[in-house]
């Protein structure tokens, strides 16, 4: 039997996750488990390219592991692990550093954006961020990498590095393909509906965190910025209402047209109340599971320990191959 194709994806433990992560990324990950051998990693090494408070980093790492599990990632089928627990990531990253041009990294738009956003800390790690990401992917010989559109450029670099190494030595790395989900609805910030909802946003009143209390969620939705006019229609010139329609669609499974009909002739107030109720109900089962799992740190650590052990078995093989090919002496 041919072995299953491999998926690898990662998320940074840099804050609480919001409803956009659930619908834009995690929901897809859960489905991919049925068909692929999946590695889902919490990339703490990437997180420190921006200054982090140690207590926050520690907490967010376990929060993220609990979120994966609460969303339905099944540790008996997929591998959940923390990047820093698998030293092969930094080891391969070093090797790949030596095969990457300065110009290739300085072209990356994420580097340019982040160095503008944090001008006081433009560090070498931030510059080399995509090389570490390439190591994450190539260690597991991943076929597919589910990412948002903003990460496509990093994936192109990963492919270039893999091809470069393969042609300089011999076939070593699988060339990965990006996997951009079909129509993972993009959720916008409730206070600024032309900007995507983002976990590191300073204005938290526009972000629906998965762990927000029911009344916080309801209040954030009720205070969401809406557009002029009174119609409840999904239209480009109505980003606020369109975003709320998307949320209602996600929470109820109803189609856009059906939603427009349901609220024809009704006011924004009534609509927002319906969206708030639906989103609160939609998130409830997740929150119950999350609280239960998060409270059991021993269990969480067991999952990530086993995940790291399984990951290391695979990562180690690839790294050994690389070391041999470049001429390091094996003992
Ligand atoms: P940060 O604020 O730290 O930059 P972020 O909230 O933008 O983070 P990422 O960690 O970059 O989130 O995203 C992880 C995954 O979640 C990506 O695949 C991305 O496409 C998806 N995602 C993030 N925000 C949204 C959103 N608002 N709507 C839909 N999907 C999203
Ligand atoms: N850079 C990604 C997170 C990330 C990742 C990866 C995604 C790190 N390593 C490997 C896919 C595969 C981000 O910021 N979303």
């Amino acid at each position: 039997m041919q072995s299953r194709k491999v998926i690898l994806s990662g998320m940074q433990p840099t804050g609480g996750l919001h409803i956009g992560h659930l619908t834009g990324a995690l929901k897809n990950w859960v489905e991919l488990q049925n068909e692929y051998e999946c590695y889902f990693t919490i990339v703490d090494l990437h997180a420190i390219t921006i200054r982090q408070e140690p207590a926050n980093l520690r907490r967010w790492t376990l929060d993220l592991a609990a979120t994966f599990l609460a969303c339905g990632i099944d540790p008996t089928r997929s591998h959940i692990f923390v990047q820093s627990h698998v030293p092969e990531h930094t080891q391969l990253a070093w090797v790949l550093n030596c095969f990457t041009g300065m110009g290739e990294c300085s072209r990356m738009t994420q580097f340019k954006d982040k160095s503008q956003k944090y001008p006081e800390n433009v560090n070498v790690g931030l510059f080399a961020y995509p090389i570490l990401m390439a190591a994450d992917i190539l260690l597991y010989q991943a076929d597919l990498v589910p990412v948002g559109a903003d990460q496509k450029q990093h994936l192109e670099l990963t492919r270039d590095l893999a091809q470069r190494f393969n042609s300089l030595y011999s076939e070593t790395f699988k060339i990965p393909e990006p996997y951009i989900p079909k129509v993972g609805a993009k959720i916008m910030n409730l206070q600024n509906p032309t900007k995507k909802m983002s976990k590191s946003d300073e204005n938290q009143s526009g972000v629906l965190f998965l762990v927000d209390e029911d009344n916080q969620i309801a209040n954030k939705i009720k205070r969401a910025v809406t557009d002029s006019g009174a119609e409840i229609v999904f239209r480009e010139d109505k980003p606020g209402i369109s975003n709320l329609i998307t949320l209602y669609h996600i929470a109820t499974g109803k189609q856009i047209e059906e939603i427009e009909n349901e609220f024809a002739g009704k006011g924004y107030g009534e609509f927002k109340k319906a969206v708030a109720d639906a989103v609160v109900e939609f998130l409830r089962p997740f929150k119950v599971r999350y609280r239960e799992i998060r409270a059991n740190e021993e269990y969480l650590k067991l999952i990530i320990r086993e995940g790291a052990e399984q990951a290391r078995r695979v990562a180690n093989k690839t790294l050994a191959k690389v070391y041999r090919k470049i001429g390091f002496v094996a003992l």
Side-chain angles (χ1 to χ4, degrees), residues 98 161 169 180 191 218 234 287:
C98 303
L161 292 178
Y169 299 91
I180 316 280
Q191 289 300 318
F234 192 96
K287 281 201 291 206

Side-chain angles (χ1 to χ4, degrees), residues 9-12 14-26 29 110 114 117 146-151 184-189 195-201:
S9 200
M11 261 195 208
Q12 298 195 61
T14 47
L17 296 201
H18 54 67
I19 192 164
H21 292 112
L22 185 61
T23 60
L26 294 170
W29 290 12
Q110 183 177 295
K114 292 217 170 155
K117 197 167 167 197
V147 279
D150 63 321
Q151 298 296 313
K186 193 160 164 195
I187 312 291
M188 311 310 268
N189 189 301
K195 208 174 135 259
K196 81 164 189 157
M197 202 176 268
S198 171
K199 61 168 128 65
S200 56
D201 217 308

Side-chain angles (χ1 to χ4, degrees), residues 8-10 12 43 46 129 133 136-137 145 147 151:
L8 179 131
S9 200
Q12 298 195 61
V43 292
H46 277 115
Y129 180 112
M133 179 164 163
D136 298 341
I137 297 165
V145 183
V147 279
Q151 298 296 313

Side-chain angles (χ1 to χ4, degrees), residues 21-88:
H21 292 112
L22 185 61
T23 60
L26 294 170
K27 205 168 130 275
N28 294 309
W29 290 12
V30 170
E31 275 166 31
L32 291 165
Q33 298 180 105
N34 299 326
E35 235 182 291
Y36 298 90
E37 174 95 28
C38 295
Y39 293 85
F40 297 122
T41 176
I42 298 167
V43 292
D44 53 353
L45 298 168
H46 277 115
I48 63 163
T49 55
I50 305 294
R51 198 69 67 229
Q52 302 292 338
E53 200 58 60
N56 283 343
L57 184 57
R58 213 171 282 130
R59 179 164 54 86
W60 285 331
T61 300
L62 293 177
D63 286 354
L64 201 47
T67 305
F68 287 1
L69 294 166
C71 287
I73 292 176
D74 173 1
T76 65
R77 283 190 290 166
S78 299
H79 315 288
I80 300 174
F81 66 96
V82 176
Q83 191 186 30
S84 67
H85 293 164
V86 181
E88 286 80 0

